[in-house]
Amino acid sequence: MSIASPYVDPALYDVIHQKVRDDIPFYVDLARQAEGSVLELGCGTGRVLLPALEAGVAIEGLDLEGAMLDALRSKARARGLTARVYRGDMRDFTMPGRYRLITIPFRAFLHLLSTEEQLQALRCIRDHLEPSGTLAFNVFYPSAEVIKADESVRKLAIDVPHPVTGHRVVVYDMNHYDVPAQAITVEREIVEHDDRGPARATNVGFALRWVYRFELELLLATAGFDDVRIFGGFDRRPLERDTDEMVVLARRT
Amino acid sequence: MTALPSPYDDGAAYDLALERFEEDLPFWLEEARQARGPVLEVTCGTGRILLHLLASGIDVDGVDLHPQMLERLEAKAVARGLKPRVSRGDMRDFTTPRRYARVFIPFNGFAHCENTADQLACLQCCHEHLEPGGALVIDMSYPGLDYWLDTREARVLEIETPHPETGDPVRMWDTRRKDRVGQMQHSLIEIEELDGAGQVARLHRFETRQRWVYRFELELLFRAAGFRRWRILGGWDRRPFAKDTDSMISFAWKDG
């Protein structure tokens, strides 16, 4: 049995991620300050890209999933914006332009499942940056407590109202961890309620590969980046705890 | 607070607690026999492994940073009628006149490279000292979930072993502070020599730090240091590295 990707139903994707907003000011501010063209990898339905576009940034987007890009384009049209977004693989993409800033928001870097894939993507990004251009992305730091508590336990991950109907949409995740392989397999059930209760369930699945701090620094150095800064959050506080989000800035060497 | 000495400043006290650790000896002896060429042990200390290899007829040299450890190694060698070739050197920047079929860094010695720059310098130096086709072999504990989640600040009894002369207990305690994102452990090491009544007759206190390394991080370090092929096993019995309670026994080959 093949498990559906979480990106085949963009409308449902947008419903369950409606509360993820804390990264938007960070990426939009960076894009504004870049004073040049910006590329967002894994732009999806435009959760971050559209606010940047609205802020007047010359931003383009890339995503592997055509359905997500279609959703982004129609949202852009509804807001009177023109989105320049393209289908492409962050491990191997070719764009005609070069960028001051390339971003990978919302942990999309973790879809790269091996060191080879990570290096391919980073080298491809490096080749698309102007000299001394910046790469910015965020990934979670793997917390020992979270992994231990989560292992193969079905847990309620998200519980939000549907923006149109107001009915509950509930996400249950079961995470399987392979700690030495730094691999997570997520089995996700998305349950949409109606007046009477649970009405429709959608099952999706995905795999992530986490990275540690010094590993990430080595990946960036190996791929041709320097001046690497790894913060512990979007407010640029120091990385101190293993529950922090790693917010990464690196410069093309 | 005055910093305490390193456990490697007192070879005699170190040996009281650790000299009779033998579980890894068969592994290193087999590796040395299969080397078909000279072997270098980096962080050879008081010779727990090196003297065992030498007594078994292996052509082995040693390097260690700490003169007190090497003096103790030499004295033990004399008592056993062995002639070791060991020299003082920093694992990040040592020079020996020979090149080796194998370079060994046993028993978490690599954890004393406390940052990425030191790790790279050490691996590059080991790479330089290998013959073409030779291999570096590193034994490191893996920092798994249970390790990080054990946040006891209390002293943990690491080893209890009889004193070689009196037979009374010798205990080694480790009080650990851990930095998860820094991948560091700070240890207060206390070695107690007990008397016949069970009272502490002598107490040796040391401090040391260790920097842990994850699997893919180590592979990236190998790559950056010039190695192009490596393999990681999970223990001295050569099981695959599969669980976070395994050790990492890593082999990195220099191109032939």
Side-chain angles (χ1 to χ4, degrees), chain B residues 39-243:
Chain B
V39 174
L40 174 67
E41 185 187 345
V42 176
T43 67
C44 63
T46 63
R48 184 178 65 80
I49 296 167
L50 186 138
L51 294 177
H52 179 68
L53 299 183
L54 209 54
S56 308
I58 302 295
D59 177 8
V60 58
D61 295 349
V63 167
D64 201 280
L65 184 61
H66 301 278
Q68 296 89 336
M69 299 292 269
L70 292 175
E71 281 165 23
R72 175 127 183 124
L73 184 153
E74 306 260 14
K76 284 154 63 176
V78 169
R80 293 169 71 173
L82 297 168
K83 291 198 166 55
R85 289 176 311 268
V86 294
S87 57
R88 187 170 177 218
D90 186 318
M91 65 196 301
R92 297 164 297 185
D93 179 26
F94 60 86
T95 309
T96 64
R98 295 208 288 168
R99 293 296 175 264
Y100 302 90
R102 292 287 182 278
V103 173
F104 294 167
I105 313 180
F107 210 47
N108 287 338
F110 188 65
H112 292 299
C113 292
E114 293 185 9
N115 57 55
T116 302
D118 287 354
Q119 291 167 335
L120 274 176
C122 173
L123 295 179
Q124 281 161 352
C125 195
C126 291
H127 188 266
E128 264 173 46
H129 282 78
L130 282 169
E131 296 169 351
L136 169 65
V137 190
I138 299 179
D139 175 15
M140 282 284 283
S141 300
Y142 186 84
L145 293 184
D146 292 337
Y147 167 78
W148 291 120
L149 292 171
D150 182 358
T151 53
R152 289 175 293 176
E153 286 280 332
R155 296 159 91 213
V156 177
L157 182 62
E158 284 276 294
I159 287 169
E160 179 161 343
T161 183
H163 193 286
E165 284 146 30
T166 65
D168 291 328
V170 174
R171 289 182 185 151
M172 188 174 97
W173 302 85
D174 188 355
T175 307
R176 295 170 171 176
R177 278 189 287 117
K178 299 171 186 172
D179 173 359
R180 291 184 194 178
V181 296
Q183 298 174 204
M184 288 292 293
Q185 170 179 306
H186 178 278
S187 288
L188 169 65
I189 304 280
E190 293 170 295
I191 298 173
E192 296 175 341
E193 297 179 52
L194 275 59
D195 61 22
Q199 299 299 308
V200 177
R202 293 190 70 194
L203 174 63
H204 313 268
R205 300 175 87 232
F206 308 102
E207 275 182 290
T208 190
R209 290 186 305 273
Q210 291 174 298
R211 158 76 178 266
W212 303 123
V213 61
Y214 292 102
R215 184 228 184 102
F216 301 117
E217 178 191 6
L218 185 56
E219 293 180 350
L220 283 160
L221 287 167
F222 284 145
R223 182 192 297 251
F227 294 95
R228 285 200 297 196
R229 192 163 65 88
W230 47 81
R231 182 171 172 222
I232 300 182
L233 299 178
W236 299 312
D237 60 0
R238 297 171 191 276
R239 64 184 178 273
F241 175 62
K243 299 195 298 281

Side-chain angles (χ1 to χ4, degrees), chain A residues 115-116 119 141 144-145 147-148 179-182 209 212-215 218-219 222 239-242, chain B residues 116 120 142 145-146 148-149 179-183 211 214-217 220-221 223 241-244:
Chain A
T115 302
E116 278 315 314
L119 288 175
Y141 193 95
E145 267 93 5
I147 293 171
K148 198 74 178 184
V179 173
Q182 299 174 205
R209 155 89 170 253
Y212 294 98
R213 181 227 191 106
F214 300 116
E215 177 192 5
L218 280 161
L219 284 167
T222 303
L239 172 67
E240 286 174 339
R241 291 180 300 274
D242 76 343
Chain B
T116 302
L120 274 176
Y142 186 84
L145 293 184
D146 292 337
W148 291 120
L149 292 171
D179 173 359
R180 291 184 194 178
V181 296
Q183 298 174 204
R211 158 76 178 266
Y214 292 102
R215 184 228 184 102
F216 301 117
E217 178 191 6
L220 283 160
L221 287 167
R223 182 192 297 251
F241 175 62
K243 299 195 298 281
D244 74 334

Side-chain angles (χ1 to χ4, degrees), chain A residues 19-26 47 234:
Chain A
K19 289 191 176 163
V20 183
R21 308 197 60 81
D22 60 335
D23 55 345
I24 294 173
F26 174 82
R47 190 179 60 78
F234 293 110

